[in-house]
Short mmCIF file of all heavy atoms in Angstrom, two decimals:
data_model
loop_
_atom_site.label_atom_id
_atom_site.label_comp_id
_atom_site.label_asym_id
_atom_site.label_seq_id
_atom_site.Cartn_x
_atom_site.Cartn_y
_atom_site.Cartn_z
N MET I 30 -9.63 1.00 9.85
CA MET I 30 -8.71 0.09 9.15
C MET I 30 -7.51 0.88 8.67
O MET I 30 -7.65 1.99 8.18
CB MET I 30 -9.42 -0.54 7.96
CG MET I 30 -10.58 -1.44 8.35
SD MET I 30 -11.43 -2.10 6.90
CE MET I 30 -12.34 -0.66 6.35
N LYS I 31 -6.35 0.26 8.81
CA LYS I 31 -5.11 0.93 8.41
C LYS I 31 -4.29 0.02 7.51
O LYS I 31 -4.28 -1.20 7.69
CB LYS I 31 -4.26 1.27 9.63
CG LYS I 31 -4.81 2.39 10.49
CD LYS I 31 -3.84 2.68 11.62
CE LYS I 31 -4.40 3.68 12.61
NZ LYS I 31 -4.71 4.98 12.03
N VAL I 32 -3.58 0.63 6.56
CA VAL I 32 -2.64 -0.12 5.73
C VAL I 32 -1.31 -0.21 6.47
O VAL I 32 -0.82 0.79 6.99
CB VAL I 32 -2.39 0.60 4.38
CG1 VAL I 32 -1.46 -0.23 3.52
CG2 VAL I 32 -3.68 0.86 3.66
N ILE I 33 -0.75 -1.40 6.49
CA ILE I 33 0.54 -1.61 7.14
C ILE I 33 1.52 -2.10 6.07
O ILE I 33 1.20 -3.00 5.28
CB ILE I 33 0.44 -2.70 8.24
CG1 ILE I 33 -0.69 -2.38 9.22
CG2 ILE I 33 1.78 -2.86 8.95
CD1 ILE I 33 -0.49 -1.16 10.07
N VAL I 34 2.72 -1.50 6.05
CA VAL I 34 3.77 -1.91 5.11
C VAL I 34 4.87 -2.63 5.89
O VAL I 34 5.39 -2.08 6.87
CB VAL I 34 4.41 -0.70 4.40
CG1 VAL I 34 5.46 -1.17 3.41
CG2 VAL I 34 3.36 0.15 3.73
N ASP I 35 5.21 -3.81 5.46
CA ASP I 35 6.36 -4.50 6.03
C ASP I 35 7.58 -4.12 5.19
O ASP I 35 7.77 -4.61 4.08
CB ASP I 35 6.14 -6.02 5.98
CG ASP I 35 7.30 -6.78 6.62
OD1 ASP I 35 8.39 -6.20 6.79
OD2 ASP I 35 7.10 -7.96 6.93
N ARG I 36 8.36 -3.21 5.73
CA ARG I 36 9.49 -2.67 4.95
C ARG I 36 10.61 -3.68 4.75
O ARG I 36 11.48 -3.48 3.91
CB ARG I 36 10.00 -1.39 5.60
CG ARG I 36 8.88 -0.36 5.70
CD ARG I 36 9.34 1.05 5.51
NE ARG I 36 8.18 1.93 5.45
CZ ARG I 36 7.70 2.42 4.33
NH1 ARG I 36 8.26 2.17 3.19
NH2 ARG I 36 6.63 3.20 4.35
N THR I 37 10.59 -4.75 5.51
CA THR I 37 11.60 -5.79 5.30
C THR I 37 11.27 -6.61 4.05
O THR I 37 12.13 -7.29 3.51
CB THR I 37 11.70 -6.74 6.51
OG1 THR I 37 10.49 -7.47 6.64
CG2 THR I 37 11.99 -5.97 7.79
N LYS I 38 10.01 -6.53 3.60
CA LYS I 38 9.60 -7.31 2.41
C LYS I 38 9.47 -6.46 1.15
O LYS I 38 9.63 -6.96 0.04
CB LYS I 38 8.26 -7.99 2.67
CG LYS I 38 8.32 -9.10 3.69
CD LYS I 38 6.95 -9.74 3.80
CE LYS I 38 6.92 -10.89 4.80
NZ LYS I 38 5.56 -11.38 4.99
N CYS I 39 9.11 -5.17 1.31
CA CYS I 39 8.86 -4.31 0.14
C CYS I 39 10.14 -4.09 -0.65
O CYS I 39 11.17 -3.72 -0.09
CB CYS I 39 8.29 -2.98 0.61
SG CYS I 39 8.07 -1.81 -0.75
N THR I 40 10.04 -4.31 -1.95
CA THR I 40 11.20 -4.10 -2.82
C THR I 40 11.00 -2.90 -3.75
O THR I 40 11.78 -2.70 -4.67
CB THR I 40 11.46 -5.37 -3.66
OG1 THR I 40 10.25 -5.71 -4.34
CG2 THR I 40 11.90 -6.52 -2.78
N GLY I 41 9.93 -2.13 -3.53
CA GLY I 41 9.73 -0.89 -4.28
C GLY I 41 9.34 -1.09 -5.73
O GLY I 41 9.61 -0.23 -6.56
N LEU I 42 8.69 -2.19 -6.02
CA LEU I 42 8.32 -2.46 -7.41
C LEU I 42 7.19 -1.57 -7.91
O LEU I 42 7.07 -1.32 -9.10
CB LEU I 42 7.91 -3.94 -7.56
CG LEU I 42 9.05 -4.93 -7.33
CD1 LEU I 42 8.51 -6.34 -7.23
CD2 LEU I 42 10.06 -4.82 -8.45
N GLY I 43 6.33 -1.13 -7.01
CA GLY I 43 5.32 -0.14 -7.37
C GLY I 43 4.03 -0.69 -7.95
O GLY I 43 3.24 0.07 -8.48
N VAL I 44 3.81 -1.98 -7.83
CA VAL I 44 2.53 -2.52 -8.31
C VAL I 44 1.38 -1.89 -7.52
O VAL I 44 0.34 -1.52 -8.08
CB VAL I 44 2.49 -4.06 -8.16
CG1 VAL I 44 1.16 -4.60 -8.65
CG2 VAL I 44 3.64 -4.69 -8.90
N CYS I 45 1.59 -1.72 -6.24
CA CYS I 45 0.55 -1.12 -5.39
C CYS I 45 0.25 0.31 -5.84
O CYS I 45 -0.91 0.72 -5.86
CB CYS I 45 0.98 -1.14 -3.92
SG CYS I 45 2.58 -0.38 -3.62
N GLU I 46 1.28 1.03 -6.21
CA GLU I 46 1.09 2.42 -6.66
C GLU I 46 0.23 2.48 -7.92
O GLU I 46 -0.64 3.34 -8.06
CB GLU I 46 2.45 3.06 -6.93
CG GLU I 46 2.36 4.47 -7.44
CD GLU I 46 3.72 5.08 -7.74
OE1 GLU I 46 4.70 4.33 -7.86
OE2 GLU I 46 3.80 6.31 -7.85
N SER I 47 0.45 1.56 -8.83
CA SER I 47 -0.31 1.59 -10.08
C SER I 47 -1.79 1.28 -9.83
O SER I 47 -2.65 1.76 -10.56
CB SER I 47 0.29 0.62 -11.10
OG SER I 47 0.14 -0.70 -10.67
N LEU I 48 -2.09 0.50 -8.79
CA LEU I 48 -3.48 0.14 -8.52
C LEU I 48 -4.17 1.11 -7.56
O LEU I 48 -5.37 1.33 -7.66
CB LEU I 48 -3.53 -1.28 -7.94
CG LEU I 48 -3.14 -2.38 -8.92
CD1 LEU I 48 -2.93 -3.69 -8.21
CD2 LEU I 48 -4.21 -2.53 -9.99
N ALA I 49 -3.43 1.67 -6.64
CA ALA I 49 -4.02 2.57 -5.64
C ALA I 49 -3.09 3.76 -5.39
O ALA I 49 -2.47 3.89 -4.34
CB ALA I 49 -4.28 1.80 -4.34
N PRO I 50 -3.01 4.67 -6.38
CA PRO I 50 -2.05 5.77 -6.29
C PRO I 50 -2.34 6.79 -5.19
O PRO I 50 -1.47 7.57 -4.84
CB PRO I 50 -2.12 6.42 -7.68
CG PRO I 50 -3.42 5.99 -8.25
CD PRO I 50 -3.72 4.65 -7.67
N TYR I 51 -3.57 6.79 -4.65
CA TYR I 51 -3.85 7.70 -3.54
C TYR I 51 -3.21 7.22 -2.24
O TYR I 51 -3.05 7.98 -1.29
CB TYR I 51 -5.36 7.86 -3.32
CG TYR I 51 -6.06 8.53 -4.45
CD1 TYR I 51 -7.09 7.91 -5.14
CD2 TYR I 51 -5.67 9.82 -4.85
CE1 TYR I 51 -7.73 8.54 -6.20
CE2 TYR I 51 -6.29 10.45 -5.91
CZ TYR I 51 -7.32 9.81 -6.58
OH TYR I 51 -7.94 10.43 -7.63
N PHE I 52 -2.85 5.95 -2.20
CA PHE I 52 -2.28 5.39 -0.98
C PHE I 52 -0.77 5.19 -1.08
O PHE I 52 -0.05 5.38 -0.10
CB PHE I 52 -2.92 4.03 -0.67
CG PHE I 52 -4.27 4.15 -0.06
CD1 PHE I 52 -5.39 4.26 -0.87
CD2 PHE I 52 -4.43 4.17 1.31
CE1 PHE I 52 -6.66 4.40 -0.30
CE2 PHE I 52 -5.68 4.31 1.89
CZ PHE I 52 -6.80 4.43 1.07
N PHE I 53 -0.31 4.79 -2.26
CA PHE I 53 1.08 4.33 -2.37
C PHE I 53 1.84 5.13 -3.42
O PHE I 53 1.32 5.40 -4.50
CB PHE I 53 1.11 2.85 -2.77
CG PHE I 53 0.27 1.97 -1.90
CD1 PHE I 53 -0.93 1.45 -2.38
CD2 PHE I 53 0.67 1.66 -0.62
CE1 PHE I 53 -1.72 0.62 -1.58
CE2 PHE I 53 -0.10 0.83 0.19
CZ PHE I 53 -1.30 0.31 -0.29
N GLU I 54 3.08 5.48 -3.08
CA GLU I 54 3.94 6.15 -4.05
C GLU I 54 5.37 5.70 -3.82
O GLU I 54 5.88 5.76 -2.70
CB GLU I 54 3.84 7.67 -3.87
CG GLU I 54 4.65 8.43 -4.91
CD GLU I 54 4.46 9.93 -4.77
OE1 GLU I 54 3.32 10.41 -4.89
OE2 GLU I 54 5.46 10.61 -4.51
N VAL I 55 6.00 5.24 -4.87
CA VAL I 55 7.41 4.87 -4.78
C VAL I 55 8.22 6.12 -5.12
O VAL I 55 8.06 6.70 -6.20
CB VAL I 55 7.75 3.71 -5.74
CG1 VAL I 55 9.24 3.38 -5.66
CG2 VAL I 55 6.91 2.48 -5.41
N ASN I 56 9.06 6.56 -4.19
CA ASN I 56 9.79 7.81 -4.40
C ASN I 56 11.02 7.60 -5.28
O ASN I 56 11.30 6.48 -5.73
CB ASN I 56 10.12 8.49 -3.06
CG ASN I 56 11.13 7.71 -2.25
OD1 ASN I 56 11.88 6.89 -2.78
ND2 ASN I 56 11.17 7.97 -0.96
N GLU I 57 11.76 8.68 -5.50
CA GLU I 57 12.92 8.61 -6.42
C GLU I 57 14.00 7.68 -5.93
O GLU I 57 14.82 7.19 -6.71
CB GLU I 57 13.48 10.03 -6.61
CG GLU I 57 12.58 10.92 -7.41
CD GLU I 57 13.07 12.35 -7.49
OE1 GLU I 57 14.12 12.64 -6.91
OE2 GLU I 57 12.37 13.16 -8.12
N SER I 58 14.01 7.41 -4.63
CA SER I 58 15.00 6.48 -4.07
C SER I 58 14.51 5.04 -4.12
O SER I 58 15.21 4.14 -3.65
CB SER I 58 15.29 6.85 -2.61
OG SER I 58 15.66 8.20 -2.50
N GLY I 59 13.32 4.85 -4.67
CA GLY I 59 12.79 3.49 -4.77
C GLY I 59 12.14 3.00 -3.49
O GLY I 59 11.91 1.81 -3.32
N GLU I 60 11.86 3.94 -2.57
CA GLU I 60 11.22 3.55 -1.31
C GLU I 60 9.73 3.85 -1.38
O GLU I 60 9.32 4.88 -1.92
CB GLU I 60 11.82 4.34 -0.15
CG GLU I 60 13.26 3.97 0.13
CD GLU I 60 13.93 4.96 1.07
OE1 GLU I 60 13.29 5.96 1.46
OE2 GLU I 60 15.10 4.72 1.40
N LEU I 61 8.97 2.95 -0.82
CA LEU I 61 7.52 3.14 -0.82
C LEU I 61 7.12 4.17 0.23
O LEU I 61 7.51 4.06 1.40
CB LEU I 61 6.81 1.81 -0.53
CG LEU I 61 5.29 1.90 -0.47
CD1 LEU I 61 4.72 2.31 -1.81
CD2 LEU I 61 4.69 0.60 -0.02
N GLU I 62 6.34 5.16 -0.18
CA GLU I 62 5.78 6.13 0.77
C GLU I 62 4.29 5.87 0.87
O GLU I 62 3.61 5.75 -0.14
CB GLU I 62 6.03 7.56 0.28
CG GLU I 62 7.50 7.93 0.35
CD GLU I 62 7.75 9.38 -0.04
OE1 GLU I 62 6.78 10.16 -0.07
OE2 GLU I 62 8.91 9.69 -0.34
N LEU I 63 3.85 5.78 2.10
CA LEU I 63 2.43 5.60 2.35
C LEU I 63 1.80 6.99 2.42
O LEU I 63 2.05 7.75 3.35
CB LEU I 63 2.26 4.86 3.68
CG LEU I 63 0.99 4.07 3.90
CD1 LEU I 63 0.70 3.13 2.75
CD2 LEU I 63 1.09 3.30 5.21
N LEU I 64 0.99 7.35 1.42
CA LEU I 64 0.42 8.69 1.34
C LEU I 64 -0.77 8.83 2.28
O LEU I 64 -1.11 9.92 2.70
CB LEU I 64 -0.02 8.99 -0.09
CG LEU I 64 1.06 8.85 -1.16
CD1 LEU I 64 0.46 9.11 -2.53
CD2 LEU I 64 2.22 9.79 -0.91
N LYS I 65 -1.37 7.70 2.56
CA LYS I 65 -2.60 7.68 3.34
C LYS I 65 -2.61 6.35 4.06
O LYS I 65 -2.26 5.32 3.47
CB LYS I 65 -3.76 7.79 2.34
CG LYS I 65 -5.09 8.08 2.89
CD LYS I 65 -5.98 8.52 1.72
CE LYS I 65 -7.36 7.93 1.73
NZ LYS I 65 -8.05 7.89 2.98
N GLU I 66 -2.98 6.35 5.31
CA GLU I 66 -2.93 5.13 6.11
C GLU I 66 -4.32 4.57 6.38
O GLU I 66 -4.55 3.37 6.35
CB GLU I 66 -2.21 5.46 7.42
CG GLU I 66 -1.79 4.26 8.22
CD GLU I 66 -1.08 4.70 9.49
OE1 GLU I 66 -1.68 5.45 10.29
OE2 GLU I 66 0.07 4.28 9.68
N ASP I 67 -5.26 5.46 6.67
CA ASP I 67 -6.60 5.03 7.03
C ASP I 67 -7.40 4.66 5.78
O ASP I 67 -7.44 5.41 4.81
CB ASP I 67 -7.33 6.13 7.79
CG ASP I 67 -6.69 6.38 9.14
OD1 ASP I 67 -6.44 5.39 9.85
OD2 ASP I 67 -6.43 7.54 9.46
N VAL I 68 -8.04 3.52 5.84
CA VAL I 68 -8.81 3.02 4.70
C VAL I 68 -10.30 3.15 5.01
O VAL I 68 -10.80 2.56 5.97
CB VAL I 68 -8.48 1.55 4.41
CG1 VAL I 68 -9.24 1.06 3.19
CG2 VAL I 68 -6.98 1.35 4.24
N ALA I 69 -11.00 3.93 4.19
CA ALA I 69 -12.45 4.06 4.35
C ALA I 69 -13.14 2.86 3.69
O ALA I 69 -12.55 2.18 2.85
CB ALA I 69 -12.92 5.36 3.70
N ALA I 70 -14.38 2.65 4.06
CA ALA I 70 -15.10 1.48 3.55
C ALA I 70 -15.17 1.48 2.02
O ALA I 70 -15.02 0.43 1.39
CB ALA I 70 -16.51 1.46 4.14
N ASP I 71 -15.34 2.65 1.42
CA ASP I 71 -15.47 2.69 -0.04
C ASP I 71 -14.11 2.59 -0.75
O ASP I 71 -14.06 2.57 -1.98
CB ASP I 71 -16.24 3.93 -0.50
CG ASP I 71 -15.53 5.23 -0.15
OD1 ASP I 71 -14.56 5.19 0.63
OD2 ASP I 71 -15.93 6.28 -0.66
N GLU I 72 -13.03 2.56 0.00
CA GLU I 72 -11.70 2.40 -0.59
C GLU I 72 -11.16 0.99 -0.41
O GLU I 72 -10.13 0.63 -0.97
CB GLU I 72 -10.71 3.37 0.10
CG GLU I 72 -11.06 4.82 -0.08
CD GLU I 72 -10.27 5.74 0.82
OE1 GLU I 72 -9.94 5.35 1.97
OE2 GLU I 72 -9.97 6.87 0.39
N LEU I 73 -11.89 0.22 0.37
CA LEU I 73 -11.38 -1.09 0.77
C LEU I 73 -11.10 -2.02 -0.41
O LEU I 73 -10.05 -2.67 -0.46
CB LEU I 73 -12.37 -1.73 1.75
CG LEU I 73 -11.94 -3.04 2.40
CD1 LEU I 73 -10.62 -2.87 3.15
CD2 LEU I 73 -13.03 -3.54 3.34
N ALA I 74 -12.01 -2.08 -1.36
CA ALA I 74 -11.84 -3.00 -2.49
C ALA I 74 -10.58 -2.66 -3.28
O ALA I 74 -9.81 -3.56 -3.66
CB ALA I 74 -13.08 -2.95 -3.40
N THR I 75 -10.35 -1.37 -3.51
CA THR I 75 -9.17 -0.94 -4.26
C THR I 75 -7.89 -1.28 -3.51
O THR I 75 -6.93 -1.82 -4.07
CB THR I 75 -9.23 0.59 -4.49
OG1 THR I 75 -10.42 0.89 -5.19
CG2 THR I 75 -8.03 1.07 -5.28
N VAL I 76 -7.90 -1.00 -2.22
CA VAL I 76 -6.69 -1.27 -1.41
C VAL I 76 -6.45 -2.77 -1.30
O VAL I 76 -5.31 -3.24 -1.39
CB VAL I 76 -6.82 -0.61 -0.02
CG1 VAL I 76 -5.66 -1.02 0.87
CG2 VAL I 76 -6.86 0.90 -0.17
N GLU I 77 -7.52 -3.53 -1.16
CA GLU I 77 -7.35 -4.99 -1.07
C GLU I 77 -6.79 -5.56 -2.37
O GLU I 77 -6.00 -6.51 -2.36
CB GLU I 77 -8.68 -5.67 -0.71
CG GLU I 77 -8.98 -5.52 0.77
CD GLU I 77 -10.20 -6.29 1.22
OE1 GLU I 77 -11.11 -6.48 0.39
OE2 GLU I 77 -10.24 -6.68 2.40
N GLU I 78 -7.18 -4.97 -3.49
CA GLU I 78 -6.64 -5.43 -4.78
C GLU I 78 -5.14 -5.14 -4.85
O GLU I 78 -4.35 -5.98 -5.29
CB GLU I 78 -7.37 -4.73 -5.93
CG GLU I 78 -6.99 -5.29 -7.27
CD GLU I 78 -7.61 -4.50 -8.43
OE1 GLU I 78 -8.37 -3.56 -8.17
OE2 GLU I 78 -7.29 -4.83 -9.58
N ALA I 79 -4.75 -3.96 -4.38
CA ALA I 79 -3.33 -3.61 -4.38
C ALA I 79 -2.56 -4.54 -3.45
O ALA I 79 -1.45 -5.00 -3.79
CB ALA I 79 -3.16 -2.15 -3.93
N ILE I 80 -3.13 -4.84 -2.31
CA ILE I 80 -2.46 -5.73 -1.35
C ILE I 80 -2.29 -7.12 -1.96
O ILE I 80 -1.22 -7.73 -1.87
CB ILE I 80 -3.28 -5.80 -0.04
CG1 ILE I 80 -3.13 -4.47 0.70
CG2 ILE I 80 -2.83 -6.97 0.83
CD1 ILE I 80 -4.04 -4.34 1.91
N ALA I 81 -3.33 -7.61 -2.60
CA ALA I 81 -3.28 -8.95 -3.20
C ALA I 81 -2.29 -9.01 -4.35
O ALA I 81 -1.75 -10.08 -4.67
CB ALA I 81 -4.67 -9.36 -3.67
N SER I 82 -2.03 -7.86 -4.98
CA SER I 82 -1.15 -7.83 -6.15
C SER I 82 0.31 -7.62 -5.80
O SER I 82 1.18 -7.71 -6.67
CB SER I 82 -1.60 -6.73 -7.11
OG SER I 82 -2.93 -6.94 -7.50
N CYS I 83 0.60 -7.30 -4.56
CA CYS I 83 2.00 -7.08 -4.17
C CYS I 83 2.78 -8.39 -4.30
O CYS I 83 2.43 -9.38 -3.66
CB CYS I 83 2.07 -6.57 -2.73
SG CYS I 83 3.77 -6.49 -2.14
N PRO I 84 3.83 -8.40 -5.12
CA PRO I 84 4.55 -9.65 -5.38
C PRO I 84 5.33 -10.19 -4.18
O PRO I 84 5.68 -11.36 -4.15
CB PRO I 84 5.49 -9.30 -6.53
CG PRO I 84 5.60 -7.82 -6.52
CD PRO I 84 4.33 -7.29 -5.93
N THR I 85 5.57 -9.34 -3.20
CA THR I 85 6.34 -9.81 -2.04
C THR I 85 5.48 -9.91 -0.78
O THR I 85 6.01 -10.12 0.32
CB THR I 85 7.54 -8.88 -1.77
OG1 THR I 85 7.04 -7.58 -1.41
CG2 THR I 85 8.44 -8.76 -2.97
N ALA I 86 4.19 -9.73 -0.92
CA ALA I 86 3.27 -9.80 0.23
C ALA I 86 3.70 -8.88 1.36
O ALA I 86 3.71 -9.26 2.53
CB ALA I 86 3.12 -11.26 0.71
N ALA I 87 4.03 -7.65 0.99
CA ALA I 87 4.54 -6.68 1.99
C ALA I 87 3.44 -5.85 2.61
O ALA I 87 3.71 -5.08 3.53
CB ALA I 87 5.56 -5.77 1.31
N LEU I 88 2.22 -5.98 2.13
CA LEU I 88 1.13 -5.11 2.61
C LEU I 88 0.05 -5.93 3.30
O LEU I 88 -0.26 -7.05 2.88
CB LEU I 88 0.49 -4.38 1.43
CG LEU I 88 1.41 -3.50 0.58
CD1 LEU I 88 0.66 -3.02 -0.65
CD2 LEU I 88 1.91 -2.32 1.39
N HIS I 89 -0.54 -5.35 4.33
CA HIS I 89 -1.76 -5.92 4.86
C HIS I 89 -2.60 -4.83 5.51
O HIS I 89 -2.13 -3.70 5.68
CB HIS I 89 -1.49 -7.09 5.82
CG HIS I 89 -0.93 -6.70 7.14
ND1 HIS I 89 0.42 -6.54 7.36
CD2 HIS I 89 -1.54 -6.43 8.32
CE1 HIS I 89 0.60 -6.20 8.63
NE2 HIS I 89 -0.56 -6.12 9.23
N ILE I 90 -3.83 -5.16 5.82
CA ILE I 90 -4.72 -4.21 6.49
C ILE I 90 -4.92 -4.65 7.94
O ILE I 90 -5.14 -5.83 8.20
CB ILE I 90 -6.09 -4.13 5.76
CG1 ILE I 90 -5.93 -3.35 4.46
CG2 ILE I 90 -7.12 -3.45 6.65
CD1 ILE I 90 -7.23 -3.14 3.71
N GLU I 91 -4.79 -3.69 8.82
CA GLU I 91 -5.05 -3.94 10.23
C GLU I 91 -6.46 -3.45 10.52
O GLU I 91 -6.76 -2.28 10.30
CB GLU I 91 -4.02 -3.16 11.06
CG GLU I 91 -4.00 -3.50 12.52
CD GLU I 91 -2.91 -2.72 13.20
OE1 GLU I 91 -3.15 -1.57 13.60
OE2 GLU I 91 -1.79 -3.25 13.30
N ARG I 92 -7.33 -4.33 10.98
CA ARG I 92 -8.74 -3.96 11.19
C ARG I 92 -9.02 -3.65 12.65
O ARG I 92 -8.35 -4.11 13.52
CB ARG I 92 -9.65 -5.08 10.72
CG ARG I 92 -9.54 -5.25 9.20
CD ARG I 92 -10.29 -6.50 8.73
NE ARG I 92 -9.93 -6.79 7.34
CZ ARG I 92 -10.66 -6.43 6.28
NH1 ARG I 92 -11.76 -5.76 6.43
NH2 ARG I 92 -10.27 -6.76 5.07
S1 SF4 U 11 3.76 -3.70 -4.62
FE1 SF4 U 11 4.64 -4.50 -2.71
S2 SF4 U 11 6.83 -4.61 -3.10
FE2 SF4 U 11 5.94 -3.25 -4.63
S3 SF4 U 11 6.13 -1.19 -3.78
FE3 SF4 U 11 4.12 -1.97 -3.24
S4 SF4 U 11 4.40 -2.88 -1.21
FE4 SF4 U 11 6.42 -2.65 -2.10
#
């Protein structure tokens, strides 16, 4: 499973970073950096919570 970012939708608000900081980091330019792409089974719940909390629906998981 991989996290996919739709950069046309992401506005760099950083909600995902606050919920799953091992995966997401908003850099000094306000751009989202994906620190980790592959999602392990024990990380899925955390990543899904971050995805559900994104206000612009810019994240999804590719299975
Ligand atoms: S929560 Fe959504 S809009 Fe905000 S930085 Fe993360 S992916 Fe981008």
Side-chain angles (χ1 to χ4, degrees):
M30 295 178 285
K31 288 183 187 300
V32 182
I33 307 293
V34 182
D35 182 342
R36 302 215 173 257
T37 66
K38 291 183 179 173
C39 176
T40 54
L42 294 169
V44 180
C45 54
E46 178 181 17
S47 66
L48 292 168
Y51 294 121
F52 282 87
F53 308 107
E54 184 176 300
V55 178
N56 68 21
E57 289 175 0
S58 306
E60 292 168 357
L61 178 64
E62 291 184 17
L63 204 51
L64 304 177
K65 192 164 137 43
E66 194 179 57
D67 293 312
V68 183
D71 64 348
E72 298 168 326
L73 186 57
T75 302
V76 173
E77 282 187 331
E78 188 186 357
I80 288 172
S82 302
C83 173
T85 64
L88 301 172
H89 72 273
I90 285 184
E91 190 177 86
R92 294 172 192 262

